[in-house]
């Protein structure tokens, strides 16, 4: 599998010393990370490490109590979620969250709901169908009747219909057959090659580090390790904890 685009020309996303609480629970304990404009960056770690909470802080669903989140140089900490989507951050959520009784096409159309420029709508739909030919075959099918892999394709396609300047992916390989996992990761690389930076949260650490430029390892609300993906792949601690090697 080929690696994503390299050579970022400056950060599109900058997170600095972010603290998030769920009531009295200190979920994120001062995390800092960035995504360059040409990059795939992956966030790996065990269940409960704070990966999804980080995405929820970026997309406005969890407001940080402390710290800064900047997107394209603009402070977005505390910005409402709908304004963050409109500003160019789109997410394919964990568990896909499609509208099961709506067709594939209708689900994809929902991704463009916030857009003002409807003139490029058909062109973007065609781009999604080129990335995922299976969706084109099933475009009139109810999303809830498709396989898990097809639903994941639809969820990523829906996020792309927003024409994002940053794509957040939360556990895209979860529960999928290996053939679909391979296809999803190939598409992530292609989306990045076409110009969209990606922040990838993923439990399949080996696949994630294969496609990413850089990675961050989270442990209990903190960034424990960071570096080029190729270096993290050979790091003994990462291999023992996340790649299943004793």
């Amino acid at each position: 599998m080929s690696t994503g685009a390299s050579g970022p020309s400056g950060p599109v996303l900058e997170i600095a010393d972010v603290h998030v609480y769920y009531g009295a629970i200190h979920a994120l304990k001062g995390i800092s990370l960035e995504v360059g404009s040409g990059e795939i960056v992956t966030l790996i770690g065990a269940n409960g490490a704070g990966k999804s909470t980080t995405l929820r802080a970026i997309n406005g669903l969890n407001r940080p109590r402390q710290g800064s989140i900047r997107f394209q140089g603009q402070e977005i900490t505390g910005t409402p979620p709908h304004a963050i989507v409109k500003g160019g951050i789109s997410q394919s959520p964990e568990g896909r969250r499609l509208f099961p009784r709506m067709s594939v096409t209708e689900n994809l159309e929902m991704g463009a709901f916030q857009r003002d420029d409807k003139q490029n709508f058909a062109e973007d739909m065609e781009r999604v169908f080129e990335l995922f030919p299976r969706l084109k075959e099933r475009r009139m099918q109810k999303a809830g009747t498709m396989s898990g892999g097809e639903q994941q394709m639809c969820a990523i396609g829906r996020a792309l219909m927003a024409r994002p300047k940053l794509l957040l992916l939360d556990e895209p390989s979860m529960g999928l057959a290996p053939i679909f996992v391979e296809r999803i990761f190939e598409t992530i690389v292609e989306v990045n090659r076409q110009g969209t930076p990606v922040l990838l949260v993923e439990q399949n650490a080996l696949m994630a580090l294969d496609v990413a430029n850089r990675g961050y390892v989270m442990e209990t609300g903190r960034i424990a390790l960071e570096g080029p993906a190729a270096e993290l792949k050979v790091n003994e601690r990462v291999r023992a904890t996340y790649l299943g090697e004793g």
Side-chain angles (χ1 to χ4, degrees), residues 15-239:
I15 298 176
D17 192 32
V18 162
H19 294 255
V20 169
Y21 290 77
Y22 291 117
I25 298 166
H26 197 175
L28 296 184
K29 303 166 185 172
I31 70 158
S32 299
L33 61 85
E34 63 179 51
V35 180
S37 59
E39 288 189 303
I40 298 174
V41 173
T42 188
L43 193 54
I44 61 176
N47 266 337
K51 306 185 303 294
S52 293
T53 302
T54 302
L55 295 189
R56 290 172 64 87
I58 296 165
N59 65 29
L61 292 170
N62 284 345
R63 187 167 185 165
R65 199 177 289 184
Q66 183 184 324
S68 164
I69 302 172
R70 295 176 71 81
F71 175 58
Q72 295 187 315
Q74 301 293 312
E75 186 72 42
I76 61 165
T77 318
T79 302
H82 70 273
I84 288 173
V85 173
K86 199 172 180 74
I89 298 179
S90 186
Q91 180 170 340
S92 176
E94 181 183 343
R96 304 181 273 279
R97 309 275 176 85
L98 298 176
F99 298 97
R101 292 185 177 84
M102 290 167 62
S103 71
V104 168
T105 300
E106 288 167 334
N107 269 278
L108 293 175
E109 287 171 350
M110 290 301 290
F113 180 73
Q114 291 258 38
R115 281 175 49 180
D116 298 322
D117 62 318
K118 295 297 191 257
Q119 68 268 28
N120 299 312
F121 190 84
E123 177 189 321
D124 291 340
M125 186 79 76
E126 200 48 49
R127 177 195 177 204
V128 170
F129 288 151
E130 281 173 18
L131 286 167
F132 300 115
R134 199 179 286 244
L135 291 183
K136 188 166 189 174
E137 295 165 18
R138 287 162 169 66
R139 59 189 181 276
M140 304 314 293
Q141 188 172 331
K142 283 187 168 57
T145 66
M146 297 196 300
S147 73
E150 290 162 348
Q151 288 187 30
Q152 186 62 64
M153 291 174 180
C154 192
I156 295 173
R158 179 179 62 185
L160 291 172
M161 285 297 291
R163 282 207 164 190
K165 300 181 184 83
L166 173 66
L167 179 62
L168 309 179
L169 296 175
D170 195 358
E171 304 287 4
S173 79
M174 184 182 279
L176 302 190
I179 189 168
F180 277 117
V181 173
E182 189 79 21
R183 182 76 194 97
I184 293 293
F185 276 92
E186 284 171 0
T187 306
I188 292 167
V189 170
E190 179 58 23
V191 165
N192 178 249
R193 193 190 64 75
Q194 292 177 9
T196 306
V198 177
L199 178 58
L200 168 66
V201 162
E202 179 54 64
Q203 281 211 290
N204 188 333
L206 186 58
M207 291 287 279
L209 292 170
D210 263 346
V211 301
N213 302 97
R214 293 185 304 107
Y216 294 85
V217 179
M218 285 197 84
E219 290 177 3
T220 57
R222 292 186 171 89
I223 303 292
L225 287 168
E226 62 181 277
E231 289 180 15
L232 290 177
K233 264 176 75 175
V234 297
N235 179 291
E236 285 186 13
R237 184 171 158 196
V238 174
R239 293 178 78 87

